[in-house]
Amino acid sequence: MADTEVGYRQIADDTWAFMRPPGSWGQTNTGLIVGPGSASMLIDTVWDVNWAQRVAVDTAELVADAPITEVLNTHSDGDHWWGNDTVPATARITTSAASLHAMKEETPPKGVNAFASFGEKVGWVPGPIGAMGSYMNRVRGNATFPTTLPRLPDHTFETTDTIDVAGRSVHLRYLGPAHTEGDLIAHLPDVGVVFAGDLLFIDATPVLWHGPLQNWIDALDHLLELDASVYVPGHGPLCGTDEIRAVRNYWTWVSEAGRTCFDAGLDSTEAALNLLKSPEFGRYAHWDSPERLILSMSTLYRLWRGEPAAPPTLTRRARAFADAGRFLRER
């Protein structure tokens, strides 16, 4: 299966990834670990109820003789767990303790959908409100969200855990807070595969919602140390260590160049626009959704001002979306 095709791709013995190219907003990759004749584990679910059903249908063929008994949510963003109601009711769902906390605190699907629907109606309006609305509607895309809060995980761990799937050890490690409060990875040492969640965006611009950024850079170093054969990112194509180094280089550049702008007294949006217009950005210009740099810079500015790392409030997210939407209108 080519990287441009949607659907399941076998990436190792009895190990699969459901790919959603090109990996833009809500186009989440998920995974499947199969123990033939025994049991299986699903990694992440998607927020669009229609896509969640498609994944469930395609999964059924692969797990016909190995029912899903374990499910993993890599973090709290809705596009990685709002499809939890499509998994077998008897399956155990695992995430990090920090991720479960964030899931309980963040805006539920109904609220996000109302926000996006409002954005759809006002997206044509000039000024910040229209820019924010059009961008929120862009984030939702054509997705249909669940009408109620999906099933929450029922098993958590603090730092590390190991889940046995039909005799195969799946090593879990919490590496957050970074992209979100609860980022974790799943490593299958028997086949050299890592499911990295949104610690990896490949050919897609990553976004820093929570921080601190150094934790993300440290997490990328950990991924490199694993030296796996295949890494499955949360968004974008399968990758190896070269692509991980590119993400690390991006964040190092953003941190250093952005801090220079901060020290010079520019506001966060001005700083992001400076970086987006700089020659150094050229190596990342082909990545999907470059305007996400504006969102990340708003988070970095909070941290540089000495504010604690925290998930974005609805107000802070709306302001960043307005700035990102304005950038897309004016580019």
Side-chain angles (χ1 to χ4, degrees):
M1 179 181 294
D3 286 344
T4 58
E5 294 181 351
V6 174
Y8 270 113
R9 175 174 179 175
Q10 186 166 13
I11 55 176
D13 290 346
D14 302 318
T15 309
W16 304 76
F18 190 100
M19 307 300 295
R20 286 285 308 278
S24 191
W25 290 106
Q27 295 176 338
T28 305
N29 300 326
T30 61
L32 181 66
I33 302 165
V34 179
S38 183
S40 299
M41 178 180 192
L42 187 67
I43 299 176
D44 279 335
T45 63
V46 299
W47 65 4
D48 183 341
V49 296
N50 297 317
W51 273 102
Q53 287 298 333
R54 172 172 173 173
V55 174
V57 169
D58 289 359
T59 301
E61 182 179 350
L62 297 171
V63 301
D65 67 343
I68 295 172
T69 59
E70 301 282 353
V71 177
L72 180 71
N73 296 144
T74 58
H75 63 288
S76 59
D77 280 352
D79 58 334
H80 291 258
W81 74 278
W82 284 358
N84 280 1
D85 286 343
T86 63
V87 306
T90 54
R92 183 179 71 163
I93 304 178
T94 296
T95 195
S96 67
S99 175
L100 180 59
H101 174 264
M103 289 174 176
K104 292 178 178 179
E105 295 295 319
E106 291 182 358
T107 307
K110 195 172 183 178
V112 174
N113 190 61
F115 190 27
S117 297
F118 170 76
E120 184 179 16
K121 294 176 182 176
V122 302
W124 61 272
V125 176
I129 291 179
M132 178 275 294
S134 65
Y135 197 75
M136 183 59 219
N137 192 46
R138 178 189 183 95
V139 170
R140 178 180 61 176
N142 296 319
T144 300
F145 293 155
T147 56
T148 59
L149 185 70
R151 177 185 165 194
L152 289 163
D154 42 41
H155 173 68
T156 64
F157 66 97
E158 295 293 335
T159 305
T160 61
D161 198 3
T162 300
I163 295 179
D164 181 278
V165 181
R168 300 179 65 187
S169 294
V170 183
H171 298 299
L172 310 180
R173 178 173 289 273
Y174 168 57
L175 294 174
H179 167 67
T180 65
E181 181 178 347
D183 306 300
L184 66 93
I185 63 169
H187 179 209
L188 283 74
D190 63 325
V191 291
V193 170
V194 175
F195 291 92
D198 280 3
L199 289 171
L200 284 183
F201 289 71
I202 302 300
D203 291 342
T205 306
V207 58
L208 182 72
W209 290 126
H210 193 285
L213 180 55
Q214 187 58 50
N215 280 9
W216 198 330
I217 293 173
D218 292 344
L220 295 172
D221 287 338
H222 181 78
L223 291 172
L224 290 169
E225 290 171 2
L226 293 177
D227 195 26
S229 299
V230 179
Y231 295 84
V232 182
H235 299 266
L238 303 172
C239 73
T241 54
D242 287 347
E243 291 83 358
I244 297 175
R245 291 188 182 93
V247 178
R248 191 188 192 284
N249 290 340
Y250 173 83
W251 279 131
T252 301
W253 169 68
V254 167
S255 178
E256 294 173 353
R259 181 67 199 218
T260 298
C261 294
F262 175 83
D263 292 339
L266 277 68
D267 67 32
S268 66
T269 302
E270 291 174 320
L273 293 176
N274 274 8
L275 268 62
L276 287 166
K277 296 173 183 176
S278 69
E280 293 81 5
F281 181 70
R283 74 191 77 169
Y284 311 113
H286 67 284
W287 289 3
D288 184 84
S289 302
E291 77 285 348
R292 287 177 184 155
L293 177 56
I294 297 171
L295 314 181
S296 297
M297 196 62 71
S298 70
T299 302
L300 285 171
Y301 263 58
R302 289 189 68 259
L303 299 174
W304 290 332
R305 288 194 297 263
E307 299 177 43
T313 62
L314 190 60
T315 299
R316 181 159 67 92
R317 196 185 295 260
R319 185 179 298 116
F321 280 3
D323 290 339
R326 185 177 63 189
F327 167 77
L328 291 178
R329 284 181 172 183
E330 297 175 353
R331 63 184 303 192

